[in-house]
């Protein structure tokens, strides 16, 4: 478990990677920059906290660092921070995006940590890797649903009996060898 | 004092290089032990599940380096369990490459002609078969049609897949649930076990020491079943011969870690790494154009929207594999599928106004995922990867319990490599954007560097001791009795998928290793048939065996 302020900061970070709709009108962590649910509702925090991911221990210090970066950024850009929420959460979406872009850019000394957070945030949306995939699909997982990830068969396995146009769609390379390889 | 276990042959890793050695040497009569760092799973264990901790993460390895990330297998069967089983032979000109060393990189004894019988032998064993257009997935068909539309040719690639069993589920990276993929779990490895080879999963080799009798003592950790960061036990085994086949991302690391006890390593250990010049592009297909320009339509009336359907790469385009062109301008293109996660994170938004790989526009791109087509380029890179100080254990500092770690490789693409990527990117764009068929962007190298599923050349064969760690029999220079038979032995980028070449070289190394065992008093013979008993391959290589078994 993370303290509430860090959960908010982490949610705001994940929402910067895959943005989504606010859960309620007074949602501060999610900026509401995109239609449909994003990484947060897809389970980013749960995924980052699973022992399997191996990053949970570092999250508190990363969130402190992120809020410090947000304070600095706000000073530099003259952005007014609202003291009722953590500094990163207080940044408008565009500024969150600019700041994260800096942190994950090649050459940033802390890049590894921020990239790891970004990868898991992405993964939460694109795969829902904190829960069994068939459960995620049954529960209408936002990412898998948005991607129109197909449903499995009744036994939980995927099979696509229709898979081919079943016709030659190009000439073969003239120097193809009898084994089917290039010459 | 407890006595240390001993064996004739100790094999590190059970992928192509390890499994082929295990079979031939066990069948020939040697006592063989294989240590494999990952678990031993089989058909029924392979899950269709992205959950961390499912078969997908248990058997996969993703190591982020500085400028290059490596993807590979972490299980009995190695890369053959997670791979896509596209098995073309390397084109003739590849063997004539000079790379950056001003002379032919490959040993004089190896050319396409001399390797062909070994290719035949592996193709018989796995087996590798040709596909026809009825086997080609929608994604492969779309790519073929796009190539045709752009004035190119395209071929269904030879594969190690049993078509009759394949369901086109595209879960190949999690292991094949249906035993359709002809991984090493279905041929060389069971045949090795039937001949008495012992395979020990969850055993990660750390270091080699030379023993007084001229053999080697190999130390290993036993890895925790779930949390691979934890060692639950450790041990040692003495062997007359050691075969390193831990893959090009791990073999040099074991040798570097052993340098203080083994003595100086050849300079090329941990250098000349090649990522096989890999590069990926994602095209977002305009579904109407796919119908109108290419005349494509599925049974259900859709034109494409079939990114999820298929069996990895099935169609390749070989028009740029032209030996008369200069080095670094030759490449092949292959349609490919990566599952979400690996397959989505690095894809970039065409014409982005903000960040290209995350944020609002990226989300919109991901929402069109079923209309994606991923194109894989295999170019000629410059062997510029170098391994730095080895981590304390394994080949990476593990971050997650499974799969994700940080490794010691550094890769700074040279102008030659960048040129190859630019040329292939430009051609992909020309093909895929012609007449508005799609929008294309290469994957970003800004996040985890370049990336490769084809690590090669980090401990390579060659004739020049200054630029190759192994002689042409795959023996480590200056360290008799240590052989390397995995992808690290391949001298450089192949411009096509490498596994068949890795396997053919491993097959070719066997007569020499048998000879080395005999010299150490082991009663072993060379000449086992194919794992299923076929003998055509054996006949084909007979003429070369004598010279390979020379002293
Ligand atoms: C997703 C994916 C798709 C691919 N698709 C294709 C394809 O379609 N066609 C193709 O030709 N190639 C493909 N490849 C590449 C192919 O899998 C590799 O080139 C091939 O497996 C390399 O063989 P190898 O013997 O060098 O090593 P590997 O097959 O990687 O085997 C090395 C083994 O050693 C083990 N190991 C590592 N370190 C240690 C240690 N310290 N102690 C004990 N064991 C250790 C590993 O767990 C692994 O099992 C693909 C790879 C990936 C990841």
């Amino acid at each position: 478990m993370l303290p509430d302020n860090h959960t908010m900061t982490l949610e705001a970070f994940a929402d910067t990677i895959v943005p989504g709709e606010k859960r309620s009108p007074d949602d501060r962590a999610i900026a509401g920059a995109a239609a449909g649910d994003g990484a947060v509702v897809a389970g980013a925090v749960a995924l980052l906290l699973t022992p399997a991911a191996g990053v949970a221990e570092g999250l508190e210090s990363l969130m402190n660092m992120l809020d410090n970066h947000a304070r600095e950024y706000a000073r530099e850009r003259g952005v007014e921070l609202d003291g009722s929420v953590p500094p990163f959460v207080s940044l408008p979406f565009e500024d969150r995006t600019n700041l994260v872009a800096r942190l994950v850019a090649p050459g940033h000394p802390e890049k590894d940590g921020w990239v790891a957070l970004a990868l898991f945030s992405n993964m939460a949306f694109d795969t829902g890797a904190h829960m069994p995939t068939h459960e995620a699909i049954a529960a209408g997982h936002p990412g898998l649903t948005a991607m129109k990830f197909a449903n499995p068969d009744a036994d939980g396995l995927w099979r696509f009996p229709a898979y081919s146009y079943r016709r030659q769609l190009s000439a073969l390379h003239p120097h193809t060898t009898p084994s089917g390889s290039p010459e | 004092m407890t006595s240390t276990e001993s064996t004739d042959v100790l094999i590190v890793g059970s992928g192509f290089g390890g499994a082929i050695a295990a079979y031939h040497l066990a069948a020939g009569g040697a006592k063989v032990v294989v240590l494999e760092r990952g678990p031993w799973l089989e058909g029924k264990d392979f899950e269709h599940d992205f959950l961390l901790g499912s078969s997908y993460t248990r058997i996969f390895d993703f190591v982020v380096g500085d400028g290059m990330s490596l993807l590979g297998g972490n299980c009995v069967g190695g890369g053959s369990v997670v791979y896509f089983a596209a098995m073309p032979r390397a084109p003739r000109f590849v063997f004539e490459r000079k790379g950056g060393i001003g002379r032919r990189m490959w040993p004089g004894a190896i050319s396409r002609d001399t390797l062909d019988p070994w290719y035949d032998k592996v193709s018989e064993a796995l087996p590798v078969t040709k596909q026809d257009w009825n086997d080609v997935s929608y994604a492969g068909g779309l790519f073929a049609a796009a190539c045709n539309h752009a004035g190119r040719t395209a071929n269904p690639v030879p594969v190690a897949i049993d078509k009759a069993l394949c369901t086109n589920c595209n879960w190949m990276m999690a292991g094949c649930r249906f035993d359709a993929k002809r991984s090493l779990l279905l041929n060389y490895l069971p045949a090795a076990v039937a001949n008495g080879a012992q395979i020990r999963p969850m055993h990660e080799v750390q270091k080699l020491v030379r023993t007084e009798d001229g053999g080697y003592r190999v130390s290993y950790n036993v890895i925790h079943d779930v949390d691979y960061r934890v060692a639950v036990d450790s041990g040692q085994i003495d062997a007359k011969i050691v075969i390193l086949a831990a893959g090009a991302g791990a073999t040099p690391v074991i040798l570097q870690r052993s340098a203080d006890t083994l003595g100086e390593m050849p300079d090329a250990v941990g250098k000349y790494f090649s990522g096989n010049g890999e590069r990926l592009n994602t095209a977002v297909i305009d579904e109407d154009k796919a119908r109108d320009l290419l005349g494509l339509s599925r049974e259900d009336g859709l034109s494409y929207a079939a990114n999820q359907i298929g069996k990895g790469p099935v169609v390749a385009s070989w028009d740029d594999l032209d030996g008369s062109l200069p080095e670094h301008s030759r490449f092949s293109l292959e349609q490919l599928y990566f599952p979400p996660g690996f397959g989505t994170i690095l894809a970039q938004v065409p014409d982005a106004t903000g960040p290209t790989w995350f944020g609002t526009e990226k989300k919109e791109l991901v929402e069109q995922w079923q209309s994606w087509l991923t194109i894989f380029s295999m170019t000629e890179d410059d062997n510029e990867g170098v391994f730095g100080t080895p981590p304390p254990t394994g080949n990476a500092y593990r971050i997650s319990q499974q799969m994700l770690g940080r490794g010691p490789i550094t890769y700074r693409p040279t102008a030659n490599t960048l040129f190859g990527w630019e040329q292939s990117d430009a051609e992909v764009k020309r093909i895929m954007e012609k007449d508005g068929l799609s929008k294309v962007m290469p994957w970003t190298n800004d996040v985890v560097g370049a990336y490769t599923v084809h690590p090669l050349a980090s401990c390579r064969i060659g004739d020049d001791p200054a630029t190759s760690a192994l002689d042409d029999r795959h023996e480590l220079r200056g360290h008799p009795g240590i052989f390397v038979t995995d992808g690290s032995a391949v001298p450089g980028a192949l411009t096509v998928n490498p596994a068949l070449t890795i396997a053919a070289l491993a097959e070719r190394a066997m007569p020499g290793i048998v000879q080395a065992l005999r010299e150490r008093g082991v009663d072993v013979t060379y000449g086992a048939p194919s794992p299923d008993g076929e003998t055509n391959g054996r006949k084909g290589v007979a003429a070369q065996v004598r010279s390979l078994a020379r002293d």
Side-chain angles (χ1 to χ4, degrees), chain B residues 90-97 104 106 110-112 115 119:
Chain B
R92 186 167 292 277
F93 68 79
V94 156
F95 301 93
E96 309 305 322
R97 287 192 59 200
R104 200 169 177 270
W106 285 77
I110 304 178
S111 64
R112 170 68 182 265
L115 206 56
Y119 279 137

Side-chain angles (χ1 to χ4, degrees), chain B residues 13 15-17 36-37 74-75 78-79 83-86 205 245-246 453 486-487 497-499:
Chain B
F16 286 95
E36 163 56 52
R37 70 174 169 185
N74 182 88
C75 56
Y83 84 152
F84 297 136
V205 168
V453 296
D486 59 18
N497 322 65

Side-chain angles (χ1 to χ4, degrees), chain A residues 13-21 32-39 47-48 50-57 93 96-102 104-107 111-112 114-137 142-153 155-183, chain B residues 46-53 62 64 87-93 112 120 129-130 133-142 144-148 152-158 166-171 177-178 229 290 294-299 302-306 308-311 318-321 337 339-342 344-346 355 357-360 362-363 366-370 399-404 406 445-449 496 500:
Chain A
F13 182 92
D15 183 62
T16 310
I17 302 301
V18 189
E21 272 167 26
D37 290 328
L47 180 60
L48 282 157
T50 55
V55 293
E57 265 177 38
F93 183 78
R96 294 180 186 181
T97 303
N98 289 337
L99 175 53
V100 169
R102 274 190 202 175
V104 297
K111 179 188 173 210
D112 278 8
W114 305 117
V115 161
L117 285 194
L119 295 184
F120 282 109
S121 303
N122 237 315
M123 220 197 243
F125 186 78
D126 295 2
T127 69
H130 62 298
M131 62 197 292
T133 303
H134 63 98
E135 281 177 26
I137 288 176
L144 295 170
T145 307
M147 293 163 76
K148 303 192 178 68
F149 202 81
N151 287 319
D153 288 349
D155 62 359
L157 301 175
W158 275 260
R159 294 176 189 80
F160 295 103
Y163 62 89
S164 177
Y165 297 113
R166 293 186 184 281
R167 60 193 170 92
Q168 178 156 5
L169 288 158
S170 161
L172 300 185
H173 193 278
H175 300 310
T176 307
T177 65
S179 69
S181 278
E183 192 174 54
Chain B
F46 298 126
E47 297 155 298
H48 288 184
D49 203 332
F50 294 124
L51 176 68
L52 297 187
F62 179 45
V64 181
M87 295 297 249
R89 302 177 185 207
R92 186 167 292 277
F93 68 79
R112 170 68 182 265
D120 287 339
T129 52
K130 289 202 276 186
W133 292 97
N134 290 316
D135 306 315
V136 165
S137 64
Y138 295 123
L142 171 65
C147 284
N148 184 58
R152 293 178 64 96
T153 66
N155 285 44
V157 288
C166 180
T167 66
N168 287 280
C169 71
N170 251 340
W171 279 93
R177 173 64 167 243
F178 306 107
R229 298 169 301 188
L294 307 179
L296 297 176
S297 93
R298 290 169 47 176
E299 288 87 334
L302 293 166
S303 54
Y304 172 57
Q308 193 182 342
I309 301 172
K311 40 183 169 293
W318 293 328
D319 300 295
D320 301 281
L321 295 183
Y337 170 86
F342 285 119
T344 43
I345 283 166
L346 303 179
W357 62 272
F358 68 91
T360 44
K362 176 64 182 277
K363 188 183 184 196
V366 168
E367 286 165 357
Q368 295 164 273
W369 181 71
Q370 290 289 7
I399 297 167
S400 301
Q401 287 184 343
Q402 300 167 4
M403 196 159 74
L404 178 64
R406 189 82 169 78
N445 282 6
D446 285 350
V447 182
V448 293
V496 295
L500 194 71

